[in-house]
Amino acid sequence: MRYGILFFGLLFAAASQADGVAHYQDQRFGYVAGNLMNITLDYDSRELTPTGVGVRLGGMIDPYWGVELRAAVAPSGDTWRAENSRNKVDYTVDHIGALLATGRLPFQSPITLPVVDAYVDEFFVQGFAGIADVKVKTNRRRCNAVRCRDDVSRNDDTSLAFGAGVGVRTSFNLGLTLQYMQYVDKDYITVTGIEGGLEWYF
């Protein structure tokens, strides 16, 4: 059920982006971005920090409001090891998928420098709110004197998501962003991320 809702939401967002980008094509309000992610995973009463990568596709309906799709993975997981034993648990994030409404507020540079004036179109702050789906993979290795056994499990959760960020857009239709996102917040699992991104506007 959750995948059906997310799928139809993605289709609706894609259609909205197409209309918005077509209408504002001369101003290049569509963008695609790549993010490096430092994820904080609070799970199993442990705090882990897997590293991930993500892709974002956005379209602004006007200069201030838009929609964004994002997908990410964290194949470089984090490991918890039991003291004085060979038992361990590997935590990775199979996927993060999100459909977000976004609001962007541009502002002028707080300082005046020739380089800034020549190459920077604008600075901006940006907010996000929507829905996200996260799947966490857990690989538990238990060893005894004879052999080791691996038990793999996956936990899939959908939650309201939100975040905020700052960025700069240059005259080369490239931009840099720094964001904080909370994808899942439940009693037994919390997934947040600090993300640095490179945007290309089209």
Side-chain angles (χ1 to χ4, degrees):
M1 180 67 178
R2 66 170 62 127
Y3 287 111
I5 294 173
L6 190 57
F7 176 74
F8 286 111
L10 296 180
L11 289 179
F12 173 78
S16 299
Q17 290 174 25
D19 291 342
V21 172
H23 189 267
Y24 291 97
Q25 189 173 7
D26 57 331
Q27 300 182 47
R28 300 200 178 192
F29 280 172
Y31 60 91
V32 62
N35 276 21
L36 292 177
M37 308 169 65
N38 180 32
I39 299 171
T40 298
L41 173 62
D42 191 346
Y43 186 52
D44 279 351
S45 299
R46 299 170 185 144
E47 186 172 296
L48 297 312
T49 54
T51 301
V53 293
V55 176
R56 301 185 292 118
L57 174 64
M60 304 301 289
I61 299 170
D62 61 27
Y64 305 104
W65 302 103
V67 290
E68 181 178 297
L69 310 175
R70 59 175 67 193
V73 296
S76 176
D78 200 358
T79 301
W80 175 87
R81 296 182 183 274
E83 294 183 5
N84 303 321
S85 78
R86 292 185 294 166
N87 295 343
K88 68 175 185 176
V89 186
D90 294 326
Y91 295 89
T92 57
V93 179
D94 272 2
H95 73 252
I96 297 174
L99 168 62
L100 306 167
T102 180
R104 180 177 289 194
L105 180 64
F107 63 91
Q108 296 298 315
S109 171
I111 58 175
T112 302
L113 294 173
V115 174
V116 173
D117 293 340
Y119 298 110
V120 174
D121 281 351
E122 66 181 18
F123 293 87
F124 59 86
V125 294
Q126 192 165 9
F128 305 91
I131 188 169
D133 185 80
V134 178
K135 181 179 285 188
V136 176
K137 176 184 175 183
T138 306
N139 186 357
R140 302 177 187 274
R141 168 160 284 208
R142 298 179 174 91
C143 298
N144 55 34
V146 179
R147 65 186 180 89
C148 292
R149 184 185 70 186
D150 288 344
D151 295 321
V152 178
S153 62
R154 288 176 170 83
N155 184 64
D156 193 359
D157 285 283
T158 300
S159 174
L160 295 177
F162 62 89
V166 295
V168 56
R169 177 170 176 166
T170 71
S171 56
F172 306 105
N173 287 314
L174 294 174
L176 296 173
T177 60
L178 180 64
Q179 303 172 354
Y180 170 82
M181 289 295 303
Q182 179 166 285
Y183 292 105
V184 173
D185 184 17
K186 295 190 175 181
D187 292 340
Y188 60 94
I189 181 172
T190 302
V191 181
T192 61
I194 297 175
E195 310 179 22
L198 174 66
E199 295 186 344
W200 174 65
Y201 305 98
F202 58 88

